[in-house]
Amino acid sequence: MRIIFLLLISVLFTGCAKRGFITGGMKDTLAPVLRLSEPKNFSTNFKGNVIKLQFDEYVKLKDANKQLIISPPMKLQPLITPSVASKEITITIKDTLLENTTYSFNFGNSIQDNNEGNPYQQFKYIFSTGTYIDSLELNGTIKDAFDLKTDNFVSVMLYEKNEKFYDSIIYKEAPRYITNTLDSSKTFKLENLKEGNYLLVAMKDESSNNKYDPKSDKIAFFSETITIPSDFAYELELFKEVLPFKPLKPSQASGNRIIVGHQGKADNLKAELKNGNEVIPTVITPFEGKDSVQIWFKPIKTDSLSLKIIRNDFEKEFNVKMKNQKADTLSIKAKQSGTLHFRDKFTLSSSIPLIKIDDSKIKLINKDSVAIAFTTKYDELKQEVEIDFKREPVEKYSFTLEKGAFTDLLERESDSTGYRVSTRDVADYGNLRLQLEGIKSFPIIVELTDDKGKVLASAYSEGETVLDFNLVQPAMFTVRIIYDENKNKIWDTGNYLEKRQTEEVKYFPTPVEVRANWDVDQTLKFTGG
């Protein structure tokens, strides 16, 4: 009976016990600690090719291909093992080391403990093949020459200006020293440098080969020779070069259109299209969203056409094989629907270039059926028709396009159609007056952008420092000014070989808010220009 009683008591207490979980204690937040390195860190007269790093716990390498920066760069990347968690990392050097040179292996944040991923931040292993460790430094910052946001993982490089230096060395050879901004900072520090004269360059090195490829890479360079030691903090501005113009092989897109891809700018482009000795009239327009142009012409039955592309002093001739294809269909579309804002003009886009606009076949009335006077303007490059008229608040407008209002390149008339838009109350918009101070030269381009850099409004000033942006949609605006040095009303990028920097761009550091039914008078003081 005693045994049965004890069993019942045991079951009772077991059933009443609360369920629990093992918590595992406090979370590990400590980074790994380097216990031993062979050879020792900061060794001189380095002769071997194997380095061993021993830690106090199991570690793993994360994103070492991005985080690890070796300076000077090696032609043959070292082998780093193992690929699994271990207390020891082995570096096997495959390259021939330079004499009397200080090498730095900056692991960034790639060495982490195996359990919690705590990084050994900015761990560096440094050694010299000579009798001393170079200890000079160079500091600076990276910014984008045009955009407010700057790329991460930007390589910063020094090329030694000695008897072997030449301007195009950045295209062909690795630099003497290199560092990287990685993913956490827009500042850089080049360390363990020796005295000397250098070219300072930064690159968004897309192919990770430590060489400049203008087709894919952004670049920044300091125009003057850098002398080490230097206490100056350098600022480098990244930009994308415009490649020299080069047309690609043309292709037929339809019975009346040829597409020509290209690199570089395609402004001032001319085309000479021939069927044998017969010259065929053409119209050239950009292909929106692509680095291509469209060569428009009237359909012709032939096996091939000769196409000569001409831009400034450049000429190249192509033979374009032609197939029996249908011609493009003419269609007219409105860019605005619903609301027409006061700062916009009602715009119609055409699928094919137009050769005639008949205003007598365009009717515009308000909600009371009263005819409204208007003007039309055709932009051949954009293939757009702007219809401008005086817009009244809280009004509705109806457009009627009769058949034949537009005639396209193929002499086909547009079909009849109609569009409706309405305006809002003036109180739905705000007015912004900018009073600019600290402008160092004119002309300037003043742009209001959103937080992604999209231009919402712009103005061109040849001397005015008070600019009005009336009836703007409520928004938080970023103000950008461009010093238009060559007065072509666009921002111009730089060129490394020409030693030409970009046109200067300045941002006002604080966004400007405009609310509905507000008049904002904002003084902007630009400095550092």
Side-chain angles (χ1 to χ4, degrees):
M1 287 294 295
R2 184 178 180 182
I3 294 176
I4 295 174
F5 176 77
L6 289 175
L7 287 173
L8 290 172
I9 293 296
S10 176
V11 170
L12 179 63
F13 275 96
T14 301
C16 294
K18 293 182 179 179
R19 294 186 180 183
F21 300 91
I22 299 175
T23 63
M26 296 180 65
K27 183 179 180 180
D28 178 16
T29 59
L30 299 177
V33 175
L34 181 69
R35 292 292 192 194
L36 178 69
S37 60
E38 297 179 358
K40 290 183 178 180
N41 206 353
F42 297 97
S43 292
T44 56
N45 297 309
F46 185 93
K47 302 297 182 184
N49 68 334
V50 176
I51 301 166
K52 292 185 180 294
L53 307 174
Q54 294 181 7
F55 298 88
D56 66 335
E57 60 180 313
Y58 282 89
V59 296
K60 59 186 177 183
L61 287 173
K62 183 177 181 181
D63 296 330
N65 58 328
K66 285 187 176 182
Q67 294 278 342
L68 175 61
I69 306 297
I70 303 173
S71 183
M74 295 180 175
K75 293 181 180 179
L76 301 175
Q77 290 299 306
L79 176 64
I80 302 178
T81 56
S83 58
V84 296
S86 173
K87 287 189 175 183
E88 182 174 282
I89 293 176
T90 301
I91 304 171
T92 304
I93 298 172
K94 296 182 177 182
D95 209 354
T96 301
L97 299 177
L98 301 172
E99 295 181 356
N100 300 314
T101 300
T102 298
Y103 281 86
S104 170
F105 285 69
N106 185 344
F107 283 84
N109 295 326
S110 63
I111 298 177
Q112 303 179 357
D113 70 42
N114 186 51
N115 292 326
E116 301 293 341
N118 299 310
Y120 192 159
Q121 294 186 357
Q122 303 298 323
F123 169 68
K124 295 179 182 178
Y125 181 84
I126 296 169
F127 65 86
S128 174
T129 56
T131 58
Y132 61 91
I133 300 289
D134 291 315
S135 58
L136 298 176
E137 298 180 354
L138 185 72
N139 299 282
T141 57
I142 299 289
K143 62 176 289 190
D144 194 275
F146 186 76
D147 293 324
L148 196 56
K149 183 180 178 181
T150 303
D151 292 290
N152 55 17
F153 290 101
V154 175
S155 296
V156 185
M157 308 170 175
L158 284 175
Y159 293 82
E160 194 170 11
K161 281 198 167 182
N162 52 24
E163 65 280 357
K164 296 181 180 179
F165 178 83
Y166 54 100
D167 272 349
S168 58
I169 192 171
I170 67 171
Y171 300 86
K172 302 173 183 179
E173 299 184 31
R176 174 70 177 187
Y177 298 107
I178 187 170
T179 188
N180 195 284
T181 61
L182 301 179
D183 58 353
S184 59
S185 176
K186 300 301 178 281
T187 62
F188 65 86
K189 179 185 286 188
L190 285 151
E191 299 178 293
N192 303 111
L193 311 177
K194 71 174 183 177
E195 290 186 14
N197 296 323
Y198 298 90
L199 166 69
L200 175 61
V201 171
M203 298 178 199
K204 177 60 178 174
D205 186 11
E206 298 291 352
S207 56
S208 301
N209 63 355
N210 299 324
K211 296 173 186 176
Y212 178 47
D213 182 356
K215 290 183 179 180
S216 57
D217 300 341
K218 286 183 179 179
I219 189 169
F221 65 94
F222 196 75
S223 300
E224 301 173 10
T225 298
I226 301 294
T227 300
I228 304 294
S230 173
D231 295 329
F232 187 75
Y234 296 89
E235 182 180 76
L236 298 177
E237 297 189 355
L238 282 171
F239 62 88
K240 186 74 171 62
E241 283 189 353
V242 174
L243 299 173
F245 175 75
K246 178 183 177 182
L248 307 178
K249 185 179 179 181
S251 61
Q252 183 185 6
S254 69
N256 60 278
R257 183 164 50 109
I258 293 171
I259 300 291
V260 182
H262 63 85
Q263 69 175 30
K265 288 186 176 180
D267 55 333
N268 302 321
L269 196 68
K270 298 178 181 178
E272 187 180 271
L273 189 65
K274 286 185 176 181
N275 180 29
N277 294 324
E278 178 191 0
V279 177
I280 302 173
T282 60
V283 173
I284 304 175
T285 65
F287 200 145
E288 187 176 1
K290 297 185 178 181
D291 292 329
S292 302
V293 294
Q294 304 174 102
I295 312 294
W296 302 87
F297 55 93
K298 291 182 179 180
I300 184 171
K301 290 185 178 180
T302 183
D303 292 332
S304 64
L305 293 172
S306 171
L307 175 62
K308 181 186 290 186
I309 298 297
I310 306 164
R311 184 179 183 270
N312 301 333
D313 296 331
F314 178 92
E315 288 189 7
K316 187 169 184 178
E317 192 167 335
F318 298 93
N319 185 63
V320 185
K321 292 183 178 180
M322 302 297 292
K323 297 179 181 178
N324 185 20
Q325 295 185 3
K326 292 183 179 180
D328 290 305
T329 301
L330 174 62
S331 63
I332 306 295
K333 295 182 179 179
K335 294 192 70 173
Q336 295 92 5
S337 61
T339 301
L340 178 63
H341 297 290
F342 287 104
R343 294 181 64 88
D344 296 337
K345 295 177 182 178
F346 185 67
T347 305
L348 299 170
S349 63
S350 172
S351 61
I352 297 179
L354 302 176
I355 60 173
K356 182 182 178 182
I357 300 174
D358 189 344
D359 286 359
S360 68
K361 295 183 178 181
I362 302 175
K363 309 297 181 184
L364 171 60
I365 60 173
N366 63 15
K367 62 185 176 185
D368 297 323
S369 300
V370 176
I372 305 298
F374 64 89
T375 59
T376 58
K377 181 180 178 181
Y378 180 57
D379 187 327
E380 185 175 74
L381 283 178
K382 294 181 179 180
Q383 296 172 213
E384 292 180 351
V385 179
E386 287 184 350
I387 302 179
D388 195 15
F389 61 98
K390 184 180 179 181
R391 281 140 287 176
E392 299 293 341
V394 195
E395 185 60 275
K396 296 180 179 180
Y397 297 97
S398 298
F399 296 84
T400 300
L401 275 61
E402 298 175 359
K403 181 175 177 60
F406 302 140
T407 303
D408 72 7
L409 181 67
L410 309 186
E411 300 182 358
R412 298 175 302 188
E413 294 184 340
S414 58
D415 294 329
S416 59
T417 187
Y419 307 96
R420 292 182 179 180
V421 293
S422 60
T423 57
R424 294 179 178 175
D425 195 331
V426 171
D428 293 332
Y429 300 87
N431 299 319
L432 172 62
R433 168 167 287 185
L434 295 181
Q435 301 195 46
L436 307 179
E437 295 182 3
I439 303 300
K440 67 176 186 177
S441 64
F442 290 92
I444 58 173
I445 304 168
V446 182
E447 295 179 329
L448 307 182
T449 77
D450 62 15
D451 58 357
K452 296 181 175 60
K454 180 182 178 182
V455 178
L456 304 177
S458 65
Y460 194 76
S461 172
E462 296 179 325
E464 300 84 0
T465 57
V466 179
L467 301 174
D468 289 317
F469 295 87
N470 293 324
L471 297 173
V472 294
Q473 297 179 60
M476 188 74 76
F477 294 107
T478 297
V479 181
R480 173 170 66 204
I481 66 168
I482 300 168
Y483 287 101
D484 187 23
E485 295 176 8
N486 61 2
K487 302 180 180 180
N488 66 350
K489 298 186 177 182
I490 61 172
W491 176 77
D492 291 287
T493 189
N495 185 281
Y496 167 73
L497 287 178
E498 295 177 7
K499 296 297 181 283
R500 174 168 49 84
Q501 299 287 356
T502 66
E503 288 185 325
E504 187 175 2
V505 177
K506 290 287 186 180
Y507 284 87
F508 189 69
T510 307
V512 178
E513 182 180 14
V514 178
R515 297 182 182 179
N517 205 26
W518 270 30
D519 292 321
V520 179
D521 192 330
Q522 181 75 51
T523 298
L524 305 184
K525 296 181 180 181
F526 290 91
T527 59

